[in-house]
Amino acid sequence: MSRIARNEPFSDRFDASGASGAAGVSEVTSDGAAWLASAGMYPRSTLAHWAERPHAPVVLPCGTAFDVVSAPALFGRQLLDRLWDEGPGSGPVAVFRGRMLLLTGPGTAQRLPSLLDWEEWGSGGRDQRRTGDIPPLLCHGNGDAVTLPAPLGAIGVQSRWLVAPDTRHPWLPGPEILLWAARRAARATVRISIFPPADQDAKVYDVSRRR
């Protein structure tokens, strides 16, 4: 999946051995890498680690720079499509070991579960509730940590950026936007085939539309 990089690609600064000027396999920019590193207690150490091992995933804490909402891959794809096709776009999004990881505004992990619970106000069975078709979402916030792809990602499809960080101050969706997108994605998911199209990764998300 491709996107528009508006800043210097991280791969222009470091290649697989730490030298500068190598062609890269990702579109994370140097500003985006700096923003990711700012989530940890030692940003300079994180950047130095990436300079030496730019393909290595890294564990970063949530709750300060971002929260993370983790969704099953197929539902996550529908969620991301709703955000870009009908909504304001998304912040950075990654795939890691079959889960879609949406980076969201701090506080989303605490607020989103309560919004989902409130939406299930119906007295009938789960299939009659407003969020009955939304699968369980894993919300990681203050006190949690997640494994994210490195700036150059990983070879293969198990760990990669779908919408890569490209700025030091990215726009991140909050809980209300995630709730809206999840409800729309749930309605779309029940209508799709269990066999997704072979070129589902070919979609391009135009980050110039992102708020």
Side-chain angles (χ1 to χ4, degrees), residues 65-91:
F66 54 80
D67 283 357
V68 171
V69 174
S70 173
L74 186 57
F75 183 78
R77 173 68 63 179
Q78 293 294 321
L79 185 63
L80 190 59
D81 285 348
R82 298 288 75 71
L83 285 169
W84 284 99
D85 292 345
E86 304 172 27
S90 73

Side-chain angles (χ1 to χ4, degrees), residues 21-53:
V25 296
S26 174
E27 296 179 51
V28 174
T29 66
S30 57
D31 282 349
W35 173 72
L36 285 174
S38 73
M41 293 183 61
Y42 306 103
R44 290 184 180 179
S45 296
T46 300
L47 289 173
H49 171 75
W50 279 335
E52 296 178 358
R53 302 182 62 193

Side-chain angles (χ1 to χ4, degrees), residues 6 9 36 41 66 72 82 88 103 112 121 135 138 149-151 163 182 210:
R6 291 176 288 177
L36 285 174
M41 293 183 61
F66 54 80
R82 298 288 75 71
L103 276 61
L112 182 59
W121 53 263
L138 304 181
V163 181
R210 188 168 55 198

Side-chain angles (χ1 to χ4, degrees), residues 8 10-23 51:
E8 176 191 5
F10 186 85
S11 56
D12 284 352
R13 300 179 60 190
F14 302 105
D15 66 8
S17 61
S20 61

